[in-house]
Amino acid sequence: IRHMSFPVEATLAASATAALLGVLSAPLISSPICAALVFGWIACIGVALTLAAPPVEPPPSEAEYEAHGLGPLPGGAPPAQLYLDLMKRIVLNLCYHEQSHQVVLSRSPDEGRPAPELARTFSLRARVMGEDVSLNTLSMVGLRRLDSLQACISALVAEGIEGDLLEAGCAKGGACIFMRAALRAHGDTKRRVYCCDAFAAPPPPPSSSSSSPPTPRPK
């Protein structure tokens, strides 16, 4: 199904025309109130279609996917590699990116974006580098950090290093989901994965005028 996009100017013109027709045709209809309601309803539909239809953007090309390490895997790739590749795409919502409503985060003013700004289009590079926050992604760490996380877990299992895994500030838990998937791909079912988050805004820091002394840090 193709997405439909209507210019705002055209919808406003159609709404004004519908309102004018409602006024002119009111004497011709037995119930002027019914006529006004009908044409007002048509105008509301036009406005709703304009607000609900986002601009259609072309999807990233195959060359762009391959440039970011998201090209097709080799035909002889093992099932574990295929499974983890799919998990990364799901956690980062690369499968349905056209539905993303993201905020691009800039960590360097030199790039021309000194403050967070609302993105009108999907950026594959921002999703790969972990520089965007989408409403419908399970993680905002980006593909590069998931690759690093996979390498760390592979090293833990290969070297027999004991211990559980924990993410502090997990948000929606996408990285924790991937950690559990990576352990399962290696056949490790003994480790636990802990998801920790305050799930609320942090308390404000104490003011300088506070009479209570700061809590000393343990040495």
Side-chain angles (χ1 to χ4, degrees):
I1 301 176
R2 294 184 178 180
H3 294 283
M4 299 171 58
S5 178
F6 300 91
V8 176
E9 295 82 359
T11 303
L12 292 178
S15 301
T17 303
L20 180 60
L21 290 176
V23 174
L24 295 178
S25 61
L28 303 178
I29 302 178
S30 59
S31 177
I33 297 179
C34 293
L37 289 176
V38 169
F39 288 104
W41 177 71
I42 296 175
C44 290
I45 290 180
V47 174
L49 289 175
T50 301
L51 296 178
V56 179
E57 297 294 335
S61 62
E62 294 183 4
E64 188 175 358
Y65 272 101
E66 293 181 359
H68 291 294
L70 290 167
L73 296 178
Q81 184 178 359
L82 296 173
Y83 168 63
L84 292 180
D85 179 75
L86 177 61
M87 287 299 302
K88 293 176 186 177
R89 297 172 189 264
I90 293 176
V91 166
L92 299 177
N93 193 29
L94 292 172
C95 302
Y96 301 101
H97 62 78
E98 66 276 4
Q99 300 176 1
S100 296
H101 301 281
Q102 63 186 22
V103 176
V104 174
L105 300 179
S106 175
R107 292 177 173 83
S108 173
D110 298 334
E111 297 180 0
R113 289 181 288 123
E117 61 181 11
L118 182 64
R120 297 182 177 274
T121 60
F122 170 78
S123 171
L124 182 60
R125 177 192 173 279
R127 186 63 54 87
V128 169
M129 302 304 295
E131 296 178 352
D132 73 327
V133 179
S134 175
L135 298 179
N136 51 0
T137 56
L138 296 177
S139 178
M140 49 187 162
V141 302
L143 180 65
R144 293 292 175 261
R145 295 184 182 92
L146 288 182
D147 291 339
S148 177
L149 192 59
Q150 179 182 350
C152 292
I153 294 176
S154 299
L156 289 177
V157 176
E159 299 175 16
I161 301 176
E162 298 181 357
D164 297 327
L165 305 180
L166 180 146
E167 182 184 11
C170 63
K172 296 181 180 180
C176 294
I177 294 173
F178 181 75
M179 284 193 288
R180 172 56 66 189
L183 290 173
R184 183 174 294 274
H186 286 286
D188 190 331
T189 59
K190 296 182 179 180
R191 300 178 194 263
R192 295 183 177 181
V193 177
Y194 294 94
C195 309
C196 301
D197 202 301
F199 300 106
S207 60
S208 57
S209 60
S210 177
S211 59
S212 59
T215 303
R217 295 183 178 181
K219 297 182 180 180

